């Protein structure tokens, strides 16, 4: 029991970024419901992370802050880390709003990155300009309102800018054949922690949407996974496509972070089973 407590305490002390970069693993859902109640509930069940989606959901920067507040409220007794997927890879103003709302530790996921220049722009959007007091600071173009934002505790955290360097997880999504070819260059960009593969978009990019058993789709995904594994600095992350074995992804294919469910899917599946069970008893099938 004592050993278990020490291990748990050690994990809590590490941010998700540090945990993953030191060889740890994490599993969690992508969340598209735009519901603070659902966010708070899911943050209590033991997921390593939750991706709050701003790309394919109604969520915007205002409602997104309420979702983060709900996750953080539940996190008083859990360790679930929020990751925000922003809607675009070319919107530093939106990234700034998200980061100003995101209490650390946390992370961002940026979709549809296909080249090194875009990856460099992503990193720059997550970093404040270089500070004279820290020669190792990775500078960027993020606007500074540190004394007044939620992320810094409204100015109560004097170490916030330093923590942005240490505890802000930055991942980019590779979702096209062009992006797969550029993985060696993308992964070389300082400040990119993980490359996140989207198998549905990858299959769609070669005209075979959702055909995960197609040999060409399999080859493309395997090529992408191998390219990330050969990187010296980035870990492998991604969505689990239907039917794929989670244990194999983590322990054979080398994934560090996996999103294997969606909040709306979990709700739909539970509701469908509940209705089917009741309708069977009532003879309504």
């Amino acid at each position: 029991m004592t050993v278990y407590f020490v291990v748990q305490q050690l994990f809590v002390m590490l941010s998700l970024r540090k945990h993953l970069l030191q060889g740890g693993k994490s599993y969690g859902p992508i969340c598209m419901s735009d519901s603070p109640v659902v966010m708070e509930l899911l943050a209590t069940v033991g997921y390593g992370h939750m991706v709050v989606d701003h790309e394919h959901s109604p969520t915007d920067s205002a409602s997104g802050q309420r979702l983060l507040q709900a996750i953080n409220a539940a996190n008083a007794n859990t360790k679930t880390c929020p990751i925000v997927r922003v809607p675009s890879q070319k919107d530093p103003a939106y990234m700034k709003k998200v980061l100003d709302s995101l209490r650390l530790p946390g992370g961002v996921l940026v979709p549809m990155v296909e080249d090194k220049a875009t990856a460099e722009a992503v990193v720059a959007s997550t970093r404040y300009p270089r500070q004279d007091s820290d020669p190792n600071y990775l500078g960027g173009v993020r606007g500074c309102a540190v004394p007044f934002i939620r992320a810094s505790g409204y100015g109560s955290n004097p170490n916030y800018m330093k923590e942005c360097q240490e505890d802000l997880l930055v991942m980019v999504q590779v979702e096209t054949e062009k992006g797969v070819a550029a993985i060696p260059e993308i992964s070389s960009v300082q400040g990119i922690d993980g490359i996140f593969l989207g198998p549905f978009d990858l299959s769609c990019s070669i005209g075979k949407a959702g055909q995960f058993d197609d040999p060409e789709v399999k080859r493309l995904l395997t090529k992408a996974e191998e390219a990330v594994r050969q990187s010296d600095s980035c870990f492998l992350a991604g969505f689990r496509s239907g039917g794929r074995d989670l244990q194999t992804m983590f322990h054979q294919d080398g994934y560090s972070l996996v999103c294997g469910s969606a909040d709306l899917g979990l709700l739909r599946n539970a509701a469908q089973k509940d209705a089917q069970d009741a309708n069977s008893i009532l003879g309504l099938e």
Side-chain angles (χ1 to χ4, degrees):
M1 176 66 92
T2 302
V3 173
Y4 175 79
F5 174 79
V6 171
V7 171
Q8 288 294 97
Q9 288 295 101
L10 177 62
F11 184 90
V12 171
M13 290 172 62
L14 289 177
S15 63
L16 180 62
R17 177 178 183 268
K18 291 175 181 175
H19 174 69
L20 294 170
L21 292 177
Q22 293 178 17
K25 298 184 183 297
S26 182
Y27 178 83
I30 187 166
C31 301
M32 305 174 70
S33 65
D34 198 36
S35 167
V37 173
V38 174
M39 297 302 98
E40 186 176 23
L41 186 155
L42 290 178
T44 68
V45 304
Y47 287 123
H49 65 271
M50 292 165 55
V51 175
V52 179
D53 185 43
H54 290 221
E55 184 186 15
H56 292 295
S57 78
T59 303
D60 58 22
S61 60
S63 66
Q65 176 163 300
R66 292 189 285 274
L67 303 183
L68 293 173
Q69 288 170 325
I71 294 170
N72 291 148
N75 270 350
N77 298 306
T78 65
K79 58 182 183 296
T80 303
C81 181
I83 300 169
V84 177
R85 180 164 73 172
V86 296
S88 170
Q89 77 278 36
K90 296 180 179 179
D91 193 345
Y94 196 93
M95 177 68 81
K96 176 173 57 180
K97 285 179 176 290
V98 165
L99 293 177
D100 284 355
S101 295
L102 179 65
R103 289 268 177 94
L104 296 176
V108 290
L109 175 60
V110 180
M112 205 60 73
V113 173
E114 295 184 303
D115 53 55
K116 181 178 182 179
T118 303
E120 290 172 338
V122 166
V123 173
S125 72
T126 67
R127 297 295 196 265
Y128 291 112
R130 186 180 302 277
Q131 302 300 299
D132 290 339
S133 59
D134 187 353
N136 297 316
Y137 194 95
L138 181 60
V141 297
R142 180 181 171 189
C144 187
V146 169
F148 311 109
I149 57 176
R150 178 178 185 269
S152 69
Y154 303 101
S156 65
N157 180 3
N159 298 315
Y160 173 69
M161 294 180 74
K162 181 174 183 290
E163 290 172 4
C164 285
Q165 296 280 312
E166 298 177 352
D167 296 325
L168 175 62
L169 175 67
V170 179
M171 296 187 293
V172 294
Q173 276 188 259
V174 171
E175 306 175 81
T176 65
E177 190 173 20
K178 177 182 176 181
V180 171
I183 284 176
E185 292 185 352
I186 294 170
S187 63
S188 72
V189 174
Q190 186 181 5
I192 299 294
D193 300 311
I195 293 183
F196 190 106
L197 303 181
F200 197 91
D201 276 296
L202 283 173
S203 65
C204 188
S205 77
I206 58 172
K208 297 185 176 184
Q211 299 178 44
F212 303 121
D213 291 327
D214 180 89
E216 189 178 0
V217 173
K218 285 185 173 181
R219 282 194 296 271
L220 182 61
L221 183 56
T222 299
K223 178 181 178 181
E225 291 170 343
E226 180 61 25
V228 180
R229 286 195 297 266
Q230 291 180 357
S231 163
D232 293 330
S233 57
C234 289
F235 60 78
L236 176 61
F239 289 119
R240 177 175 62 167
S241 53
R244 191 165 186 187
D245 182 67
L246 186 61
Q247 182 167 332
T248 300
M249 290 185 73
F250 276 129
H251 299 299
Q252 294 182 30
D253 298 332
Y255 280 81
S256 296
L257 181 145
V258 174
C259 284
S261 60
D263 60 345
L264 293 178
L266 293 169
L267 177 59
R268 177 200 60 209
N269 294 344
Q272 284 179 339
K273 185 180 186 306
D274 185 49
Q276 289 167 357
D277 290 347
N279 288 340
S280 178
I281 293 169
L282 296 172
L284 298 177
E285 289 186 319

